[in-house]
Amino acid sequence: FTFGGPVPAGYFKARTFFFTSYENSELKDTTLIDTVVPVQSNSNFSLPSSTGGSPRPEADTSLTPGFAPAEFAPYVLTIPTPATRHVFSARVDHNFNDAHNVTFGLQFGNQRSTRQFRTATSRLEEAILGPTRNTDAYTFTDNYVFSSKLVNQLRFQFSRFKPSFAAADPLDPVVLITLTDTLSGADSRSGTLIAGNSTSAVNFNFPGTRVEKRWQVQDTLTSIAGSHTFKTGIDTQAIDSDFLDLQDATGTFNFLSVRNFLDNSVGRYRRNFGRQTGQKNTYYGFFAQDEWRVRQNVTLSLGLRFEKETIIGDNDNFGPRAAIAYSPFKSGKGVIRVGAGIFYNRVLLRTFDDANLTESRQSYDTNRLPGPATNSNHLCFDPGGASYVSARCQFLRQVTFPAALSMEELVGLENSLRTSGALTGTQTGFSVPANNLRRIDPDIKVPESYQFNAGFEQQIAEGLVLEANYTFNRTVHLFREFNANPYNLPAGFRDYNDYLVNGYSSPTVRFVNGDPNDTNGVSTSAGMTTVNLASRNPSAAASTPIGRARAALQSSLGRRLGNAFPSQLDQVASIGIANYNGLTIDLRQRFRPLGYGFAASFRAAYTLSRSEDDGVNNTSNPSDIFDFSTDLAASLMDRRHRLAFSGSFDMPWWLGRLRLSPVLRLGSGAPFNISNGSGSANDRNLDEVSTDRPNYSGD
C-alpha cells in the first residue's frame, strides 16, 4: 500500500512532497507437535493439557522403587509457524528554493520466521525458536547549490537493528523432561519433552539477542574549475553493539522422568554466566578525487582515500585509485576504460564478540559434582533418603524449580557443602568452557583488496552495444583462525607425522607410515611396539595409533604457549588470501520496435572466471597449521562459466499487448569441500583441530 503527493495548501504547497508505503508478506507454514504431556499438573510450572487420547503410565525403568509412575497423554497439535515481514516507510522532500532542498525519511521493519522444523517435534509451542529482526532507520539529506560550480551534499542516518534467535520468552527457564513410554513402535512417545525456553546448548545452536545502534555522517563537496571536477568528503560511522548469548543463560532444568517433574525433583541443573559482550567501533574515512577532462575524448580520474576503524590499531589504510577513459573513434561510439585501486573491507564485530566471551564466560553443571551416574540421578530422590549422601544429591535438593540460581547462590550452596564435608576444596560445578576458545592476534589488520579492471565498450549497431571487461582482484589480510597452542614442532620436520617417524626416540615404541589397509595399527615384537600412523583404525583411544601418537607428543614436546592454556586456543589473525580473475562479455540491445506491433530489449552476459581462497569463512581453521597455503583452492563461490540472458518483449494488440520478461541463467557446478568428519578420532594430523581432509594426491 502506498500513498503520497504534494502538500495541498499553505506555505508548504508546491514546496513539500511526501510519500508513504506499507508492505506485508506472510509465507505460511505449519509445524506438527507430536509428544505427550503429564495428566497431572505441576503447580510451579504449567504445561498444556492433552489434546486427546488415552492416558498411560510412563515406564518405571528410570524410577526408584516406591515411586508411583506418572501418567501422560498424547499432545498432538499442528500449529502455524509462518515467516512474516512488515515494512513501513515514509519520506518528505522540501524545497526551500531552487538551490536548496532537504529530504527526511524513516523506515520501520519487523521480520520473524518460525519455519525451523520440517518434521514432527517434541517442543511445545512456546519453545519454538525463530529468528526475529526489528529495524528502524532515519535518514536526512541536505543539498545546497552555492553556484553553478560549487555544490555540497550532507547526509545523516541513524539506525537501530535488533535481531534475535530465541523462543517466545527468552527469559523463561529451559525445561527438559525425559519421556519413557510404555508403548513401542510408531505409537511410542519416548524422548525429551522441551518446554519453557529452548535455548539449551544441547538443543539448538547460537541462540542469542543483539542490539546494534549505528549513526553515519557523510559530507561531499563538489567543485568545478576549468576541465577539472574536484570532489572531497568525509564519512564517519559509529557502531554500538551489545550481544547476549542465550545458551543456558536462564537456567536449564533436566527431569529424569515425568514423575520427577511433577515432584519438582530436578535431576540436573545447568547455567551459563558471562555471556554478554559489547563492542564499540568508529569508522573514519576521508577522500579527495580529481576528474580531469584532459582532452575531449580523454578523462583521467585520480583519488586517494584514508580509512580507520578504532576497534583495531591498523593506522596505514591509504587507498590510492586511478582510472582513465579514452574514446578512440571520432564517432564517440566506443570507449576504453582502465582502472586500479586499493580498497579496504570492514571489520566483523562478531569475531571480537567471540574473543571477549572467551575471557569472561563460565558454566555451571551439577553433573560435575560427585554423585551417581547421569542416567541414575533419580537415586537422589529415593523416598527413604538414603541416597542423599552424595554432594550432587545434596545440592539438587536445594534447587527450587523453576527459580534460576545466581552465581552468588551457587557459590553459597557449594560453600555449605564444603563446610559439611560433602565437597573438597577443589571439587566444583563451575568450569570455563574449553571448546571454541578464541583470541585476537595483536597485529590484526583490516583486510585489503588490490583491484584492476580493463574494459572496452562499442556500439556495433543501432541501439546494440557490446562490452567486454577483465577484472583482477587480490585480497590479503583476511581473517583466519589457527590453533595457537599446539605442540612445539622441532626445526627440520614438516609436521608431527614426520617428527614421530623420523625424530621421535624411544626404546620401546617406534612409529612408521606403513600399510594404509592395516585396521589395527599396533603390533608388538621382541619388546618393541610398532605404531602404524597410516592405519585405518578410526579410534582415538589410548591404545590405538592416534592415542599413542598423542601420548608420544605430550611426553616429548612442550606446548607453544605452555600448559596453562588449553590445548586448542583459536587465534584470529590477518593471514588469509583470496584471488579472483574474471572476463565478462556483455551484449545489450536498447528497447526498440521490431515491426508488426512487436518491440523488445535484451541483455546477454557471459562470464569466464576463477575464484580461489584459503578458507571457507572468516574463521576457518587450516587443515595444516604449519602450511596455510595448502588450503588455497577453488572458492565455494567459484563458477567457471556463467551465462545470463534477460529481456523484455512487447506483444501487439492482437496478442493482448502482453509483455514477456524471460530470465535464463546457466552456470558451472559449484565446488565442494570434503572433510574428514568431526571429533578427536578424525584428527589424524594431531593438531587438535578436526579440520583434516582426505589426501588423494599426497603422501
Side-chain angles (χ1 to χ4, degrees):
F1 173 78
T2 62
F3 179 68
V7 174
Y11 167 76
F12 296 102
K13 181 180 181 181
R15 293 173 176 262
T16 305
F17 299 83
F18 71 96
F19 171 83
T20 60
S21 71
Y22 171 72
E23 301 176 35
N24 169 245
S25 64
E26 181 173 358
L27 181 59
K28 294 184 179 298
D29 202 350
T30 60
T31 291
L32 174 65
I33 300 176
D34 188 0
T35 186
V36 290
V37 293
V39 173
Q40 296 175 271
S41 61
N42 182 312
S43 58
N44 293 348
F45 195 89
S46 61
L47 295 180
S49 301
S50 169
T51 55
S54 300
R56 56 184 181 270
E58 63 178 328
D60 61 1
T61 56
S62 63
L63 297 174
T64 302
F67 274 69
E71 285 192 325
F72 49 56
Y75 186 80
V76 182
L77 181 68
T78 298
I79 62 170
T81 51
T84 58
R85 180 174 179 265
H86 305 271
V87 179
F88 173 77
S89 303
R91 172 175 165 171
V92 177
D93 296 340
H94 179 69
N95 298 315
F96 292 99
N97 51 54
D98 292 340
H100 189 197
N101 66 77
V102 296
T103 299
F104 175 76
L106 57 84
Q107 184 180 87
F108 303 116
N110 171 266
Q111 297 182 54
R112 177 169 171 79
S113 176
T114 50
R115 301 178 67 240
Q116 303 296 317
F117 306 95
R118 297 294 181 265
T119 58
T121 179
S122 58
R123 296 170 185 266
L124 297 182
E125 187 171 359
E126 74 274 8
I128 296 291
L129 286 171
T132 300
R133 296 177 56 158
N134 293 303
T135 60
D136 54 277
Y138 308 86
T139 62
F140 174 79
T141 303
D142 181 285
N143 297 300
Y144 197 94
V145 180
F146 293 95
S147 69
S148 61
K149 296 185 178 182
L150 187 64
V151 178
N152 188 78
Q153 183 183 74
L154 173 67
R155 300 177 63 191
F156 170 81
Q157 66 175 1
F158 171 80
S159 61
R160 199 163 26 221
F161 176 52
K162 187 177 181 180
S164 67
F165 199 85
D169 190 347
L171 299 180
D172 276 351
V174 181
V175 180
L176 307 176
I177 306 172
T178 299
L179 305 173
T180 309
D181 207 335
T182 51
L183 299 179
S184 60
D187 293 327
S188 172
R189 298 298 192 273
S190 298
T192 301
L193 175 65
I194 305 174
N197 200 337
S198 54
T199 54
S200 170
V202 298
N203 284 289
F204 225 90
N205 293 325
F206 307 124
T209 63
R210 180 186 296 276
V211 177
E212 286 188 358
K213 299 177 183 178
R214 298 170 178 255
W215 61 262
Q216 180 179 15
V217 177
Q218 289 181 322
D219 189 84
T220 303
L221 181 67
T222 304
S223 61
I224 300 175
S227 59
H228 294 267
T229 300
F230 297 100
K231 286 188 177 182
T232 58
I234 61 170
D235 183 1
T236 302
Q237 303 178 44
I239 304 174
D240 188 349
S241 175
D242 292 303
F243 174 71
L244 173 62
D245 182 352
L246 290 174
Q247 287 188 352
D248 284 332
T250 57
T252 297
F253 297 86
N254 283 74
F255 296 92
L256 271 294
S257 66
V258 176
R259 177 78 271 162
N260 286 164
F261 168 72
L262 295 176
D263 294 339
N264 297 311
S265 300
V266 181
R268 182 183 182 186
Y269 179 75
R270 286 166 289 166
R271 190 175 184 185
N272 286 330
F273 300 92
R275 313 289 288 196
Q276 187 165 8
T277 179
Q279 300 293 338
K280 296 181 184 294
N281 186 32
T282 303
Y283 163 86
Y284 302 97
F286 307 91
F287 73 90
Q289 176 181 311
D290 177 16
E291 187 175 292
W292 179 23
R293 193 74 173 261
V294 181
R295 298 177 59 183
Q296 187 67 24
N297 62 340
V298 179
T299 300
L300 177 66
S301 296
L302 299 173
L304 179 66
R305 187 179 184 96
F306 171 75
E307 302 183 18
K308 165 66 180 173
E309 297 195 50
T310 58
I311 199 168
I312 61 177
D314 189 5
N315 300 315
D316 58 353
N317 299 323
F318 291 92
R321 293 97 187 261
I324 187 170
Y326 169 55
S327 181
F329 308 116
K330 292 183 179 181
S331 64
K333 294 183 178 180
V335 61
I336 299 172
R337 300 184 182 92
V338 179
I342 300 177
F343 300 83
Y344 294 90
N345 296 4
R346 299 300 305 275
V347 170
L348 295 174
L349 293 186
R350 177 62 187 266
T351 302
F352 291 83
D353 279 340
D354 291 344
N356 277 7
L357 289 174
T358 293
E359 302 296 328
S360 61
R361 60 181 181 166
Q362 283 197 70
S363 295
Y364 195 88
D365 188 346
T366 56
N367 271 10
R368 297 191 186 96
L369 299 175
T374 302
N375 62 355
S376 302
N377 276 352
H378 62 279
L379 294 176
C380 292
F381 308 104
D382 185 339
S387 297
Y388 285 123
V389 65
S390 74
R392 185 190 305 170
C393 294
Q394 293 185 50
F395 187 99
L396 288 171
R397 288 190 69 186
Q398 308 301 316
V399 176
T400 303
F401 173 72
L405 292 169
S406 66
M407 183 175 290
E408 292 75 13
E409 290 171 322
L410 292 170
V411 171
L413 285 176
E414 285 199 353
N415 288 337
S416 65
L417 291 176
R418 288 190 181 90
T419 301
S420 67
L423 278 181
T424 67
T426 59
Q427 292 174 328
T428 180
F430 285 103
S431 69
V432 176
N435 61 322
N436 299 323
L437 293 179
R438 177 176 292 159
R439 71 177 190 176
I440 302 296
D441 190 284
D443 297 323
I444 200 163
K445 295 181 177 295
V446 175
E448 59 186 70
S449 299
Y450 308 104
Q451 299 184 18
F452 171 80
N453 185 84
F456 175 73
E457 182 180 340
Q458 174 68 42
Q459 181 176 321
I460 58 178
E462 182 66 29
L464 187 63
V465 177
L466 177 67
E467 183 176 354
N469 286 283
Y470 166 74
T471 300
F472 168 76
N473 187 335
R474 179 175 176 81
T475 303
V476 299
H477 300 158
L478 287 168
F479 288 4
R480 296 287 186 263
E481 282 187 358
F482 64 92
N483 183 10
N485 197 30
Y487 294 110
N488 276 319
L489 182 67
F493 296 100
R494 183 178 66 254
D495 51 34
Y496 295 127
N497 182 290
D498 186 20
Y499 164 75
L500 289 172
V501 172
N502 300 305
Y504 177 73
S505 177
S506 170
T508 58
V509 179
R510 66 171 180 169
F511 293 89
V512 298
N513 284 323
D515 182 3
N517 293 316
D518 176 10
T519 58
N520 182 25
V522 179
S523 61
T524 301
S525 177
M528 175 63 72
T529 299
T530 301
V531 180
N532 177 12
L533 292 173
S535 166
R536 295 173 62 181
N537 191 321
S539 173
S543 60
T544 63
I546 294 178
R548 289 180 177 273
R550 287 179 168 169
L553 293 177
Q554 186 174 5
S555 64
S556 61
L557 303 177
R559 292 195 175 275
R560 186 173 296 174
L561 300 178
N563 294 327
F565 291 88
S567 59
Q568 182 182 345
L569 179 61
D570 288 334
Q571 182 162 315
V572 182
S574 301
I575 52 180
I577 61 172
N579 299 313
Y580 174 83
N581 284 274
L583 174 66
T584 301
I585 301 175
D586 195 331
L587 185 65
R588 302 187 301 273
Q589 171 66 61
R590 291 199 300 268
F591 195 80
R592 55 171 294 186
L594 301 178
Y596 302 101
F598 291 93
S601 66
F602 72 86
R603 177 182 180 182
Y606 167 73
T607 301
L608 173 66
S609 65
R610 165 74 173 176
S611 176
E612 61 179 9
D613 57 36
D614 57 6
V616 176
N617 55 44
N618 67 299
T619 53
S620 291
N621 272 286
S623 57
D624 182 356
I625 61 174
F626 302 109
D627 188 2
F628 222 114
S629 65
T630 59
D631 285 72
L632 186 63
S635 163
L636 294 186
M637 298 182 294
D638 180 67
R639 307 290 186 277
R640 191 59 49 86
H641 304 279
R642 296 176 188 260
L643 177 65
F645 177 86
S646 61
S648 181
F649 299 90
D650 283 7
M651 304 292 106
W653 64 270
W654 45 275
L655 287 177
R657 300 190 185 278
L658 295 174
R659 169 167 289 183
L660 306 180
S661 300
V663 176
L664 173 67
R665 296 187 180 93
L666 301 173
S668 301
F672 56 92
N673 191 42
I674 304 176
S675 76
N676 202 31
S678 61
S680 59
N682 291 306
D683 178 25
R684 302 302 294 252
N685 64 5
L686 307 172
D687 66 355
E688 289 155 322
V689 182
S690 298
T691 52
D692 299 5
R693 288 196 288 273
N695 187 350
Y696 292 107
S697 59
D699 56 3

